[in-house]
Amino acid sequence: MTIAEAPPILDFSPFYGKDEEAKAKLIAQVRKCCLHNGFFQIVGHNVPTELQEGVLKCVKRFFSMPQAEKELVLKEKNTWNRGYEKIGSQILEAGTAPDLKEGFYIGEEIPTDHPYFIHKRLNSGPNFWPETMEDVDEFKSTCMSYYNAMHALARDVLVVIAQTLDLDPRFFKDFTTDAVATLRFLHYPPQPPDSDEKISRGIGAHTDFGSVTLLMQDEVDGLQVYEKSTNEWLDVVPVKGAYVVNLGDMFQRWSNDLYVSNTHRVINKSGKERYSIPFFYSGNPDYKIECLPNCRKEGEPAKYPPDSVEGIVGGSYKKSYGAAEAFKKTTTPATATVSSGPTAIAV
Ligand SMILES: O=C(O)CCC(=O)C(=O)O
Ligand SMILES: [Fe+2]
């Protein structure tokens, strides 16, 4: 019988050290998680605590701005996934009420004369900064330092993941060069105590689109991972300073479904405000995703045709927008859960 366990908390520090036995143990632990549900937490990474605390302050400062000021940088005003998303803008789980969360999206600072912007490449353009905020320059620089630290951590995590598949530690180097990624600030107000448990969600059940997601939670719980062997929702207990790591749909496809992109959701029943900061790592938009080595048994075919990161992640966005359009046209919600990335279904 399978015993359902919440994602384990792994010590990542051997990655930075010389103890080969400890490294091998970390790689084995990560492989086990990737095969099971693609979720684990890491401590012992090298993101400075001051930077984590600094960015959490930025998150709280942003969301405490007057609503009208937040709406000056509304995400609907651009097509490259930057800016503010109002409460109730998404429905990620069909049949539930609009998600009880507001968001703020940040990406690489790509000027309007950059070829990526001109050619409308995946999520590429300038950030939408809340210019009316006090000390906005400090806000921008903390956000971007944190964004860059997340890129570095994603590269380190991928070095470990490469080794879980017996690949060269540098296997993902081209994939991580000039990679596109999105940092999302999230605020979940407490759910009203009388809200209907069946339909009220902070974020409805979904999977992420990209390769890996690195999530920092504050101390308020609410994130849950679905355990299919027991049909249960397992709590991902907040651990101060830790990152929740999970694989996205593109990684599952890349591994021929050997590794898992798992369904998760947030319900904030804590009675407190909840803040979290996911970082969605897509990768180099031109990189070709084709079945990774060591993911298939002899003679087993590749399940998916090769496609670029941009084709796969961009395609997921398009599909979710299509679903949002369909939802708007119907009064009877469908029953399937959908897959989400940073933008998912904008209703
Ligand atoms: O806020 C969280 O803990 C999870 C957020 C999440 O799953 C997402 O943004 O895709
Ligand atoms: Fe997610």
Side-chain angles (χ1 to χ4, degrees):
M1 194 186 101
T2 319
I3 298 164
E5 268 179 54
I9 298 150
L10 309 181
D11 177 12
F12 200 71
S13 64
F15 176 77
Y16 302 104
K18 289 196 167 29
D19 182 342
E20 294 304 322
E21 213 174 294
K23 267 188 209 188
K25 186 176 159 209
L26 172 65
I27 292 163
Q29 287 170 320
V30 170
R31 178 172 168 89
K32 193 173 163 209
C33 295
C34 291
L35 289 167
H36 176 61
N37 66 4
F39 262 85
F40 50 98
Q41 300 210 52
I42 54 171
V43 293
H45 52 75
N46 63 1
V47 182
T49 308
E50 310 82 73
L51 186 55
Q52 292 187 314
E53 284 170 359
V55 79
L56 258 173
K57 273 196 198 125
C58 288
V59 173
K60 292 177 185 171
R61 274 175 72 200
F62 178 82
F63 289 118
S64 65
M65 283 171 63
Q67 186 64 21
E69 282 186 45
K70 289 188 275 192
E71 289 186 22
L72 291 175
V73 290
L74 262 188
K75 193 165 160 287
E76 283 90 331
K77 294 182 184 172
N78 68 74
T79 52
W80 51 94
N81 212 31
R82 303 288 195 278
Y84 174 61
E85 187 171 72
K86 286 195 276 187
I87 286 198
S89 297
Q90 289 188 306
I91 298 179
L92 285 183
E93 185 180 341
T96 64
D99 289 351
L100 281 169
K101 61 164 171 37
E102 54 182 343
F104 180 65
Y105 292 66
I106 295 166
E108 192 73 42
E109 195 64 81
I110 295 175
T112 51
D113 59 356
H114 190 287
Y116 269 24
F117 181 78
I118 292 165
H119 299 296
K120 294 194 167 50
R121 301 305 304 272
L122 180 66
N123 295 340
S124 298
N127 278 308
F128 262 34
W129 296 114
E131 300 290 351
T132 55
M133 175 192 267
E134 216 174 291
D135 295 330
V136 70
D137 288 338
E138 190 274 321
F139 177 84
K140 289 181 195 175
S141 83
T142 304
C143 290
M144 291 318 287
S145 301
Y146 186 78
Y147 177 78
N148 292 327
M150 286 301 94
H151 268 276
L153 182 59
R155 287 192 293 268
D156 292 348
V157 167
L158 284 165
V159 168
V160 172
I161 292 178
Q163 292 171 97
T164 67
L165 291 167
D166 277 331
L167 301 173
D168 188 293
R170 290 160 304 180
F171 185 89
F172 292 117
K173 186 141 194 319
D174 292 344
F175 173 71
T176 58
T177 303
D178 297 329
V180 168
T182 298
L183 184 68
R184 164 147 97 157
F185 293 173
L186 287 173
H187 169 219
Y188 302 86
Q191 280 187 209
D194 59 350
S195 63
D196 184 341
E197 289 237 347
K198 287 200 184 67
I199 62 162
S200 185
R201 297 279 180 271
I203 186 166
H206 68 281
T207 55
D208 295 344
F209 285 160
S211 60
V212 289
T213 303
L214 305 173
L215 171 91
M216 182 161 92
Q217 321 185 62
D218 70 354
E219 70 283 359
V220 179
D221 61 3
L223 174 61
Q224 297 181 313
V225 182
Y226 182 64
E227 172 61 46
K228 67 171 177 299
S229 66
T230 54
N231 192 23
E232 278 173 280
W233 287 95
L234 304 174
D235 294 326
V236 185
V237 183
V239 176
K240 203 171 162 47
Y243 286 93
V244 179
V245 182
N246 68 283
L247 300 177
D249 297 347
M250 191 175 69
F251 206 99
Q252 178 169 328
R253 169 188 172 134
W254 205 357
S255 73
N256 219 36
D257 295 339
L258 178 70
Y259 281 2
V260 182
S261 166
N262 209 76
T263 305
H264 52 286
R265 69 180 187 187
V266 171
I267 303 181
N268 181 12
K269 287 186 282 198
S270 64
K272 298 182 206 145
E273 309 293 324
R274 179 174 189 273
Y275 299 92
S276 72
I277 316 177
F279 174 78
F280 302 96
Y281 196 76
S282 296
N284 182 310
D286 292 318
Y287 190 87
K288 191 150 68 137
I289 300 292
E290 54 188 330
C291 187
L292 287 165
N294 305 336
C295 289
R296 291 182 271 169
K297 294 194 193 83
E298 283 267 334
E300 199 181 320
K303 292 186 186 169
Y304 306 97
D307 197 355
S308 66
V309 165
E310 179 148 32
I312 294 170
V313 179
S316 301
Y317 284 121
K318 281 203 197 100
K319 222 159 95 191
S320 72
Y321 279 118
E325 286 306 308
F327 180 84
K328 277 190 243 171
K329 289 192 191 119
T330 171
T331 47
T332 336
T335 47
T337 55
V338 295
S339 194
S340 99
T343 48
I345 297 192
V347 185

